[in-house]
Amino acid sequence: MGKTNSKFVFIFLFLLLPLAGCLNNNLDLSQEVTSIEVYKWDSEELWSVIEDQGIIDKLVRELDSANTHSTENIDFPMPDYNLLFKNKETVLYEIGYYSEVVDLGIEGQYWEFDRIFGVKLELPID
């Protein structure tokens, strides 16, 4: 490879690296989610358990690749439910869930600590 081609490759890679950082990997789960326990937010009462692997996998994929928006400086109501993503008995991840789509900078139904996920996926919990 000539010097011109080497410079082009180097510049291309240099410009590509920041873009790689933009790829979302929100959940960073190291294990498979085998169930999602759904708790009422206010009472912490176990409301439902989701064990349908198709629904679980779709939700994990969508959350993992979703755009997010900071809710740090926004006054908003707490979610209706708290979801615990589990692998057998081990809690892997926890996130809030709104029954209805909310607009907190972006529209979504899933909230974690200081960010809303741009995911609209209704769960079968009633």
Side-chain angles (χ1 to χ4, degrees):
M1 196 171 358
K3 287 188 176 189
T4 304
N5 287 342
S6 296
K7 286 181 184 179
F8 177 76
V9 170
F10 177 77
I11 291 170
F12 178 75
L13 291 175
F14 182 75
L15 294 173
L16 189 62
L17 284 176
L19 293 176
C22 294
L23 298 175
N24 294 338
N25 192 11
N26 295 318
L27 305 186
D28 197 27
L29 297 173
S30 59
Q31 297 177 11
E32 178 185 13
V33 177
T34 57
S35 67
I36 299 174
E37 292 182 356
V38 180
Y39 291 86
K40 292 289 282 182
W41 187 273
D42 292 336
S43 67
E44 298 181 11
E45 167 192 357
L46 179 62
W47 188 257
S48 181
V49 177
I50 299 170
E51 297 178 308
D52 181 316
Q53 203 59 51
I55 292 171
I56 293 170
D57 291 345
K58 181 175 182 173
L59 179 57
V60 167
R61 275 193 316 273
E62 288 197 25
L63 289 172
D64 204 33
S65 63
N67 290 325
T68 62
H69 184 75
S70 174
T71 58
E72 191 171 335
N73 297 316
I74 300 174
D75 187 26
F76 57 93
M78 290 291 100
D80 302 305
Y81 300 95
N82 189 39
L83 308 179
L84 299 182
F85 290 56
K86 297 180 83 175
N87 177 286
K88 299 178 184 157
E89 296 303 314
T90 304
V91 176
L92 303 174
Y93 194 74
E94 187 172 344
I95 193 167
Y97 169 69
Y98 291 93
S99 299
E100 303 288 326
V101 174
V102 294
D103 186 347
L104 302 175
I106 58 174
E107 291 185 344
Q109 291 178 267
Y110 298 88
W111 174 79
E112 173 197 48
F113 181 59
D114 64 353
R115 63 183 175 159
I116 184 80
F117 289 72
V119 173
K120 302 175 212 173
L121 180 63
E122 191 169 330
L123 297 178
I125 58 173
D126 294 325

